[in-house]
Amino acid sequence: MELKYTRRVAVIGGGSSGLACIKSCLDEGLEPVCYESSDDIGGLWRFKENPEPDRASIYHSVIINTSKEMMCFSDFPIPANFPNYMHNSLIMDYFRMYADHFQLTKHIRFNTKVLQVRQRSDFAHSGQWDVETENKDGKTEKHIFDAVMICIGHHCHPNLPLHDFPGIDTFEGTYFHSRDYKTPEEWRNKKAVVIGIGNSGGDIAVELSRVTKQLYLSTRRGAWILNRVGDNGQHPTVNDELPNRILSGTVQVKPNIRRLQGSSVEFDDGSVVEDVDLVVFPVRDTLSRSTISTTWMIAGLLGVRPNIPRLLLTDPRLGLKVLFGPSTPYQYRLKGPGKWAGARQAIFTQWERVAQPMQTRPCDDPKTKRSFMWPLVLSAAVVGWAAYVNRNNFPAYLQDPTALLDKMKVYLPAQ
């Protein structure tokens, strides 16, 4: 009897990406072994009072700036009772649910560092890798794997561009990277400057402004500030309180820093702030691409991109849900590799999960009114579909919007 060889995969890191990679390997019949240098899962999203070397770190108040329906694993919706924008502790709760549900933890070797990954001497023939690890007791081991997945994130090392700020070596106050910021209390009644108006900079500026004597927010180019509930935001600064803090004067927006000297900070507009106690440097995100366009592109490469014209013909209600959004990850589980039987239901119930955490008191149901939305939606779908098929050279008999409309009427509920 011939024994089947199971390919072994090393997964480095037990954060959100590492967990998803373990599950993907199991789905494909592979044997994953995950090495996590700490004693728990979660990666970036696990808050710790003291930052650790070579590890991402967050401040205590971090709330995700992506809604739960957009950020969830594509085959494991976040519970309906969770808030739409979750505190980091709830994100950790969700990761634990995911790991428990798919029994991922037994594949993780905690407190184990990966020291070295390199191709084996016969790599051209075998495609295998040598992986050297070290456990918490200092014992090293060497392993052979058929593949390696690196899931350590990109916020492990702080980027302090001190050369951009002349005089920083003479600054008498305290300066540090935002990864080292945890809580605002120790800076009560101080003057502080936060550099950068990204999401972390905005959050820290708002939080510090509640306790400091004055908070200055330095930005080179400005930003569009949006609430978490809004339309068409690609990668803006998401902050619910910053505009009010600016209006009240507790946060003063300043241009880029020209130089620092002693306890003073001079900005590019010539203004100088004296007696500054704290300067906080930002996280600089180098992966600022549109999530939706990126996932759509990758989905096409993997063969899991939903075929919207076909859905409009075969399952019009589902097709309209996908066409008019929101662009939630469940749509990439409708077909192809990794197809999930619950994807359709997850799409149909996504707005219920959005509404549930806000339904905290009973209220009378509104009277049912005749809706004119279906005809409008249907007409827009037909126009969009016609443009799509013309662009993609569909057969002529499929390019007739009137025929499509008649076909779709069969499936749509009567008004």
Side-chain angles (χ1 to χ4, degrees):
M1 180 178 178
E2 183 180 352
L3 295 178
K4 184 178 179 180
Y5 173 71
T6 301
R7 294 184 178 275
R8 301 179 73 237
V9 180
V11 178
I12 305 176
S16 57
S17 298
L19 293 174
C21 287
I22 296 170
K23 182 185 177 294
S24 297
C25 288
L26 295 173
D27 289 345
E28 297 298 321
L30 305 172
E31 181 186 335
V33 179
C34 176
Y35 297 107
E36 168 56 43
S37 60
S38 73
D39 59 359
D40 200 0
I41 63 172
L44 168 69
W45 292 104
R46 183 159 56 92
F47 172 79
K48 300 200 76 172
E49 291 289 345
N50 300 307
E52 299 174 344
D54 302 324
R55 179 170 297 281
S57 179
I58 57 173
Y59 40 99
H60 184 269
S61 61
V62 168
I63 294 175
I64 191 71
N65 55 24
T66 305
S67 69
K68 67 179 183 182
E69 292 297 302
M70 295 291 289
M71 69 155 283
C72 69
F73 294 114
S74 57
D75 58 350
F76 194 75
I78 293 173
N81 63 308
F82 277 36
N84 288 295
Y85 291 89
M86 301 185 295
H87 185 262
N88 59 82
S89 60
L90 289 177
I91 295 175
M92 281 298 300
D93 289 345
Y94 171 63
F95 287 166
R96 296 193 199 286
M97 293 176 188
Y98 180 78
D100 291 343
H101 182 79
F102 294 110
Q103 301 180 31
L104 306 180
T105 309
K106 65 183 180 182
H107 300 280
I108 303 177
R109 308 291 182 265
F110 291 108
N111 296 306
T112 305
K113 294 181 180 180
V114 174
L115 302 178
Q116 186 173 248
V117 177
R118 62 182 179 185
Q119 298 175 351
R120 304 205 77 206
S121 57
D122 63 346
F123 180 82
H125 171 70
S126 68
Q128 291 182 322
W129 301 80
D130 284 323
V131 176
E132 184 178 358
T133 63
E134 179 183 64
N135 66 17
K136 62 180 179 180
D137 299 320
K139 179 182 179 182
T140 61
E141 293 181 343
K142 292 186 177 180
H143 315 268
I144 300 173
F145 287 97
D146 297 288
V148 177
M149 305 179 83
I150 300 176
C151 307
I152 59 173
H154 68 293
H155 289 307
C156 294
H157 301 284
N159 177 22
L160 274 175
L162 300 183
H163 58 276
D164 291 343
F165 301 95
I168 189 68
D169 55 331
T170 70
F171 182 60
E172 296 174 355
T174 301
Y175 66 88
F176 53 72
H177 191 270
S178 58
R179 78 182 293 275
D180 296 317
Y181 172 81
K182 294 299 177 180
T183 59
E185 285 305 316
E186 63 181 300
W187 306 108
R188 184 171 293 276
N189 298 322
K190 306 287 187 179
K191 283 186 182 180
V193 176
V194 175
I195 302 173
I197 200 170
N199 289 303
S200 296
D203 283 348
I204 295 173
V206 165
E207 193 164 85
L208 282 173
S209 71
R210 298 191 183 106
V211 300
T212 53
K213 182 186 300 184
Q214 182 63 58
L215 189 288
Y216 300 92
L217 180 58
S218 172
T219 172
R220 293 178 180 179
R221 293 178 292 274
W224 294 104
I225 310 296
L226 302 182
N227 287 330
R228 283 183 168 85
V229 180
D231 296 326
N232 302 320
Q234 179 175 318
H235 194 77
T237 296
V238 178
N239 196 294
D240 300 324
E241 297 185 61
L242 183 57
N244 292 329
R245 289 278 156 182
I246 294 172
L247 287 172
S248 67
T250 53
V251 173
Q252 291 188 25
V253 179
K254 290 287 188 178
N256 195 42
I257 292 177
R258 178 178 294 169
R259 66 175 62 89
L260 301 95
Q261 184 168 3
S263 62
S264 66
V265 177
E266 181 182 350
F267 298 94
D268 278 347
D269 62 356
S271 62
V272 178
V273 177
E274 303 285 351
D275 302 320
V276 175
D277 301 285
L278 170 67
V279 174
V280 181
F281 289 85
V283 167
R284 294 193 174 181
D285 189 351
T286 57
L287 300 180
S288 298
R289 293 193 60 183
S290 166
T291 300
I292 293 176
S293 62
T294 300
T295 51
W296 186 258
M297 176 192 70
I298 295 173
L301 298 175
L302 296 177
V304 298
R305 184 186 293 171
N307 186 326
I308 296 178
R310 184 177 295 278
L311 284 177
L312 289 170
L313 285 172
T314 59
D315 193 342
R317 290 182 62 229
L318 177 61
L320 291 173
K321 291 277 188 183
V322 174
L323 178 63
F324 290 100
S327 183
T328 47
Y330 319 118
Q331 65 178 324
Y332 302 118
R333 292 280 185 170
L334 291 169
K335 55 170 283 189
K339 180 180 178 180
W340 174 44
R344 186 179 189 275
Q345 181 64 14
I347 291 171
F348 274 93
T349 55
Q350 56 197 4
W351 285 112
E352 296 173 16
R353 288 189 296 279
V354 168
Q356 182 167 325
M358 296 182 285
Q359 295 171 338
T360 55
R361 69 177 183 89
C363 58
D364 296 331
D365 292 332
K367 293 182 179 179
T368 303
K369 296 181 180 180
R370 181 178 176 84
S371 174
F372 296 95
M373 184 57 67
W374 268 106
L376 294 175
V377 170
L378 186 60
S379 299
V382 170
V383 172
W385 182 86
Y388 181 91
V389 296
N390 275 309
R391 186 174 69 249
N392 290 277
N393 298 318
F394 274 55
Y397 70 89
L398 286 180
Q399 297 185 25
D400 181 4
T402 305
L404 173 65
L405 185 62
D406 290 339
K407 183 172 182 60
M408 292 177 66
K409 282 179 180 176
V410 177
Y411 299 96
L412 298 177
Q415 294 294 322

